[in-house]
Amino acid sequence: MNLPKGPESLCFDKDIFIRDDFDVDQFVAECRKQVQLEEMREDLELYYKLLKTAMVELINKDYADFVNLSTNLVGMDKALNQLSVPLGQLREEVLSLRSCVSGVIQAIDDQLFKHEDLQKKKVCVMRLIQVVRSVEKIEKILHSQSSKESGSQENSSLLAGQILERIATEFNQLQFHAVQSKGIPLLDKVRPRIAGITSMLQQSLEGLLIEGLQSCNVDIVRHCLRTYATIDKTRDAEALVGQVLVKPYMDQVIVEDVVTSSPNGLEKMYSRLLEFVPHHCRLLREVTGGVVCSDRADTVPGYDFLVNSVWPEMIQAIEERLSYLFNPGNPEVFYERYSISMEFVRKFERQCSSQASVKRLRAHVSYASFHNRWNLPVYFQLRCINFPVLYGELTALTVCVAVGSMFHLQVSEVLWFCLMRCWSDRVYLPPLAHRLWKLTLQLLARYAKFLDEVLTKPSVMELTKEPCRPLPSSASSTSSRTSVDEGGSEGGGPISLSTKQLVYIAADIQKLQEKLFSSLLAALFDSRARLSSSVPSLNSRMSQHLTERCCRFLKSAAEVPRLYRRTNKEVPVLASAYMDNALRPLHQLLTDSMGLVTPSTTHEWLHVALSECTQRYYETISEVLSSVRKMEESLKRLKQARKGATTAATAGANGGPTDDGKIRLQLALDVEYLGEQIQKMGLQPGDISMFSTLMDLVKEARELAE
């Protein structure tokens, strides 16, 4: 079905009406995104007229067939009856042929199924044959090697590295075919022989690897590790290195008596542990590519002995033999041990061969276990248990006379001391940053609540002779408190706040605000800069969004000539309707942003969007006026050629303004209306880029129209 082609200016695609999933609501919603409802209705009416015209033309084209349709059907029933008998016979023949073909197809399917089954069985047999051949080949190699060793009367029963690699390659194929043949009864008869080969291979590999490590023989270690990798047993090799090479060294170094024998015993122990890698693992790292070597082709990939052999043995020995390290009972000692231990972890990470190795280390179970053993929550509780401001133990306004103190009241001095102590070098630990930040906010909130109680209920404040709870550490030794009493009496009775007390409170609040602002500003500077870096992108996105929505309607200025040329419309006195549609997104922005962002931000968005829109609007109007001028000149030449004949397109019936004058006047009204709306938005039209040039353009056009 072919629909008539409509004008290119239609706001919809004509083929959408013949789709199976055509939906009226969706159609209207999609069209409204492009044009207004009035324009959509006009396009629909225009296309409706085209459809009616096309239908009439179709009927006229085949009119004879329409008229003779009933005549051609006379006698059709007899013809159909005559065809029914031969059609029935043909149907029987087709059914018979179909039955025969189905039988042949079924027979072929049966043969194909049997052939496929035979192929599967053949593959199974070939795999079993390969399994038996591999077993016999490996046993032959083992028997031959045993005979050579017996003949040479060597004490070592280890297989040579090259022989092991040959066996490993064949063993790898054996394993593959054995897995593929799983469930076949014949495989169970061969399985004991496979188990014997596996046991012999593992024992030989373990012995050969130990011998290579003890003798520092690079070739033996390389052959051995390559063999482990061939049979996919790299983790077994790493575990063996941990037991044979790492564990004895840890037993000698990680000893509680040695660590506790000197004040820096823990640092010495960690230093000796870090020496293990360069002194005892150089051979392994050279073979596996962990250090720079001359021939990278001979390296054996797939191993990470630092992560899977050295680190687990270290941590296990530390956790078992030095469990007292993790006791947070003494915060000062705990801080010292934790800092030294984390420095050891960082230095160990630097010994890893790559970033990928560091990631594997941090993902290791023992890495998380070591970090979790440090009871940081208990350490935090012990650190903040002596904060009197947090627990509301300060109940009097006492004067602080500490030497060099920046505050006047003891409660303010205590607050500042607690805040500084939270982030001091001997207290702060990076994993506790979130807890210390929360504690900082709690201290400030408790201090603010204390001041609120003082200022709202002064009658409950009492002057006490008992000294306030001393500050932790050395802060208490540099300050003393005396009660402030102006007009009150000593004796513990309720009094009102004095003028000096109020002044002290105000001064301390100002000082705290100043100090907090400077301290927090430095801490949050990076985050603030990161947020600020997003502002230009946001402004650009907003301006682009507004410009696209406005310019979609401003393009309608090009349709103004069509509205006045040869239409005999009256002289325009109001701006075009498209101007309100174009400015609606800007007015909507003013409504949506009120109370949410600063007016300066909104004005900046409007200024950039209006500047871009004015530039594009100027280009559109310039093209329209240029086209009008060319049309006007053409009509003048045509008029002169006709020697004075009147032209309806250039003058009204009563000699009023020409159509071109109406067009110019309408554009001038539109631009003037734009300037008025800009002022209503709180901007100055003169500050908008190209607006002055646009006004000069339409001013000249108005003069020509008048």
Side-chain angles (χ1 to χ4, degrees):
M1 179 178 181
N2 295 324
L3 296 177
K5 184 178 180 181
E8 296 294 338
S9 61
L10 291 178
C11 64
F12 52 81
D13 183 11
K14 62 182 180 61
D15 296 331
I16 195 173
F17 298 112
I18 59 176
R19 294 179 183 174
D20 296 336
D21 59 346
F22 174 72
D23 182 72
V24 176
D25 295 334
Q26 184 179 0
F27 169 75
V28 174
E30 292 294 332
C31 289
R32 287 196 64 183
K33 295 179 180 179
Q34 303 179 12
V35 296
Q36 300 297 319
L37 288 175
E38 293 79 2
E39 188 175 347
M40 183 180 69
R41 183 184 64 185
E42 293 176 1
D43 290 350
L44 288 173
E45 290 178 352
L46 175 61
Y47 194 67
Y48 173 67
K49 293 178 181 179
L50 291 176
L51 286 176
K52 290 179 62 177
T53 303
M55 183 180 67
V56 172
E57 292 178 355
L58 179 62
I59 294 176
N60 291 336
K61 179 180 179 181
D62 300 328
Y63 182 75
D65 294 337
F66 277 104
V67 173
N68 298 328
L69 182 61
S70 60
T71 305
N72 295 335
L73 294 177
V74 176
M76 185 63 66
D77 53 346
K78 294 182 180 180
L80 293 175
N81 291 333
Q82 293 176 359
L83 290 174
S84 61
V85 175
L87 287 176
Q89 296 176 354
L90 180 62
R91 182 174 181 275
E92 293 294 332
E93 293 176 0
V94 171
L95 291 175
S96 176
L97 179 61
R98 181 179 179 181
S99 177
C100 294
V101 172
S102 298
V104 174
I105 292 175
Q106 183 63 38
I108 294 174
D109 289 340
D110 294 340
Q111 293 296 326
L112 290 175
F113 178 77
K114 292 180 181 179
H115 180 72
E116 182 180 1
D117 185 58
L118 289 174
Q119 286 294 110
K120 291 181 179 180
K121 292 180 179 179
K122 181 179 179 181
V123 171
C124 292
V125 172
M126 295 301 296
R127 287 173 179 167
L128 288 173
I129 292 174
Q130 187 63 37
V131 169
V132 174
R133 287 179 178 176
S134 298
V135 171
E136 292 177 349
K137 184 176 181 179
I138 294 174
E139 289 177 344
K140 183 177 180 181
I141 295 174
L142 292 174
H143 179 71
S144 175
Q145 185 67 19
S146 299
S147 300
K148 291 180 181 179
E149 292 175 356
S150 299
S152 60
Q153 296 181 354
E154 293 181 355
N155 295 326
S156 176
S157 61
L158 300 176
L159 300 175
Q162 295 84 352
I163 301 298
L164 281 178
E165 286 195 47
R166 289 177 54 194
I167 295 176
T169 303
E170 194 67 34
F171 182 79
N172 201 23
Q173 297 181 5
L174 171 62
Q175 289 288 90
F176 172 77
H177 292 296
V179 171
Q180 297 295 325
S181 304
K182 187 177 181 179
I184 300 177
L186 182 60
L187 183 64
D188 296 334
K189 297 182 180 180
V190 188
R191 198 175 298 280
R193 298 167 65 183
I194 297 175
I197 293 173
T198 304
S199 177
M200 174 65 73
L201 182 60
Q202 289 181 343
Q203 292 178 4
S204 300
L205 282 174
E206 291 177 359
L208 188 61
L209 179 58
I210 295 173
E211 179 183 341
L213 292 175
Q214 292 175 347
S215 61
C216 296
N217 191 315
V218 177
D219 294 332
I220 293 179
V221 173
R222 181 179 292 111
H223 284 302
C224 195
L225 294 182
R226 188 178 288 121
T227 304
Y228 269 111
T230 302
I231 62 176
D232 196 20
K233 297 291 184 179
T234 56
R235 293 295 173 265
D236 292 350
E238 292 172 341
L240 180 63
V241 169
Q243 289 293 320
V244 175
L245 187 64
V246 182
K247 193 173 184 302
Y249 185 87
M250 300 302 133
D251 293 341
Q252 296 177 3
V253 175
I254 304 176
V255 180
E256 181 177 355
D257 295 338
V258 177
V259 175
T260 57
S261 61
S262 62
N264 59 346
L266 185 61
E267 294 182 4
K268 291 182 179 180
M269 182 198 75
Y270 282 139
S271 178
R272 292 191 61 188
L273 291 180
L274 292 172
E275 293 174 356
F276 176 81
V277 174
H279 292 170
H280 300 275
C281 295
R282 182 172 181 81
L283 175 61
L284 291 172
R285 300 184 73 187
E286 180 180 350
V287 173
T288 58
V291 296
V292 179
C293 57
S294 59
D295 191 359
R296 301 289 294 179
D298 286 341
T299 59
V300 183
Y303 292 91
D304 197 338
F305 289 102
L306 266 69
V307 175
N308 299 318
S309 301
V310 180
W311 176 260
E313 290 295 334
M314 281 185 178
I315 299 306
Q316 183 179 357
I318 291 174
E319 291 179 349
E320 291 179 355
R321 302 173 189 175
L322 304 178
S323 58
Y324 69 91
L325 291 178
F326 310 103
N327 184 9
N330 188 331
E332 297 290 341
V333 176
F334 180 85
Y335 177 89
E336 189 73 23
R337 293 170 179 171
Y338 179 83
S339 301
I340 296 174
S341 299
M342 292 303 106
E343 181 64 21
F344 158 72
V345 174
R346 285 189 289 270
K347 290 181 179 179
F348 188 86
E349 289 179 349
R350 296 192 193 104
Q351 293 182 340
C352 294
S353 57
S354 62
Q355 288 294 330
S357 179
V358 174
K359 291 181 179 179
R360 288 191 292 269
L361 175 65
R362 294 177 179 177
H364 201 279
V365 176
S366 59
Y367 188 91
S369 173
F370 182 69
H371 282 75
N372 293 335
R373 287 293 300 272
W374 299 95
N375 203 334
L376 296 177
V378 175
Y379 166 79
F380 171 77
Q381 293 292 335
L382 294 175
R383 279 299 194 187
C384 69
I385 196 172
N386 293 324
F387 285 1
V389 176
L390 181 63
Y391 297 98
E393 297 180 12
L394 294 178
T395 57
L397 291 175
T398 53
V399 176
C400 177
V401 293
V403 178
S405 175
M406 67 183 74
F407 299 101
H408 301 84
L409 297 177
Q410 180 66 17
V411 64
S412 304
E413 178 70 18
V414 172
L415 170 67
W416 189 250
F417 171 81
C418 294
L419 292 177
M420 292 299 98
R421 184 166 175 78
C422 285
W423 306 97
S424 63
D425 293 338
R426 300 294 300 178
V427 174
Y428 170 75
L429 293 176
L432 294 175
H434 63 293
R435 293 177 179 267
L436 293 171
W437 179 250
K438 181 180 179 181
L439 176 60
T440 300
L441 299 179
Q442 288 176 333
L443 290 170
L444 293 172
R446 182 64 189 90
Y447 177 79
K449 182 180 179 182
F450 171 74
L451 293 182
D452 289 341
E453 294 175 353
V454 170
L455 297 174
T456 56
K457 299 178 181 179
S459 60
V460 303
M461 295 301 302
E462 296 182 357
L463 294 175
T464 61
K465 296 182 180 180
E466 296 295 331
C468 295
R469 182 171 182 174
L471 294 176
S473 185
S474 61
S476 60
S477 62
T478 61
S479 63
S480 61
R481 277 83 52 194
T482 60
S483 299
V484 176
D485 185 6
E486 289 188 0
S489 61
E490 297 184 5
I495 63 169
S496 299
L497 291 177
S498 65
T499 303
K500 184 175 291 187
Q501 286 176 320
L502 293 174
V503 172
Y504 283 170
I505 293 174
D508 284 359
I509 290 177
Q510 292 178 2
K511 179 61 68 173
L512 279 171
Q513 289 176 335
E514 176 185 344
K515 297 293 292 183
L516 287 174
F517 177 78
S518 60
S519 300
L520 296 180
L521 184 62
L524 300 177
F525 180 79
D526 293 339
S527 299
R528 182 180 179 182
R530 182 71 179 273
L531 291 175
S532 300
S533 65
S534 303
V535 174
S537 300
L538 172 62
N539 292 340
S540 176
R541 183 65 179 272
M542 175 62 76
S543 302
Q544 180 183 2
H545 171 71
L546 295 174
T547 302
E548 292 176 354
R549 293 185 62 188
C550 296
C551 290
R552 183 187 307 170
F553 296 98
L554 290 177
K555 293 179 181 179
S556 301
E559 302 296 327
V560 172
R562 182 177 60 84
L563 298 176
Y564 288 98
R565 185 164 283 126
R566 296 181 180 275
T567 59
N568 199 26
K569 279 191 174 184
E570 296 181 357
V571 178
V573 294
L574 297 175
S576 301
Y578 74 85
M579 288 301 301
D580 287 330
N581 295 330
L583 295 173
R584 185 175 293 113
L586 304 181
H587 289 294
Q588 186 65 37
L589 172 65
L590 287 172
T591 303
D592 294 342
S593 62
M594 185 177 298
L596 299 180
V597 297
T598 60
S600 60
T601 301
T602 305
H603 288 168
E604 181 181 357
W605 291 340
L606 292 174
H607 183 273
V608 177
L610 284 169
S611 298
E612 181 65 25
C613 291
T614 304
Q615 174 67 34
R616 298 187 187 181
Y617 191 42
Y618 172 80
E619 296 172 357
T620 302
I621 290 183
S622 298
E623 293 178 0
V624 172
L625 293 177
S626 176
S627 176
V628 169
R629 184 173 59 256
K630 292 178 181 178
M631 178 65 71
E632 190 175 28
E633 293 175 355
S634 299
L635 291 175
K636 285 181 180 180
R637 289 194 296 270
L638 180 62
K639 183 178 181 180
Q640 293 175 358
R642 293 182 178 181
K643 297 180 180 180
T646 59
T647 304
T650 61
N654 299 323
T658 63
D659 292 346
D660 296 330
K662 295 177 183 179
I663 295 172
R664 292 188 177 97
L665 184 58
Q666 182 64 72
L667 293 176
L669 291 173
D670 294 345
V671 175
E672 292 170 358
Y673 181 75
L674 175 60
E676 295 173 359
Q677 294 300 313
I678 290 175
Q679 288 183 337
K680 290 183 178 180
M681 294 177 192
L683 302 175
Q684 293 299 323
D687 296 336
I688 304 300
S689 175
M690 291 298 295
F691 187 80
S692 299
T693 307
L694 179 62
M695 283 296 298
D696 294 339
L697 180 66
V698 297
K699 183 178 180 180
E700 180 182 355
R702 178 186 281 273
E703 293 175 353
L704 292 174
E706 295 175 350

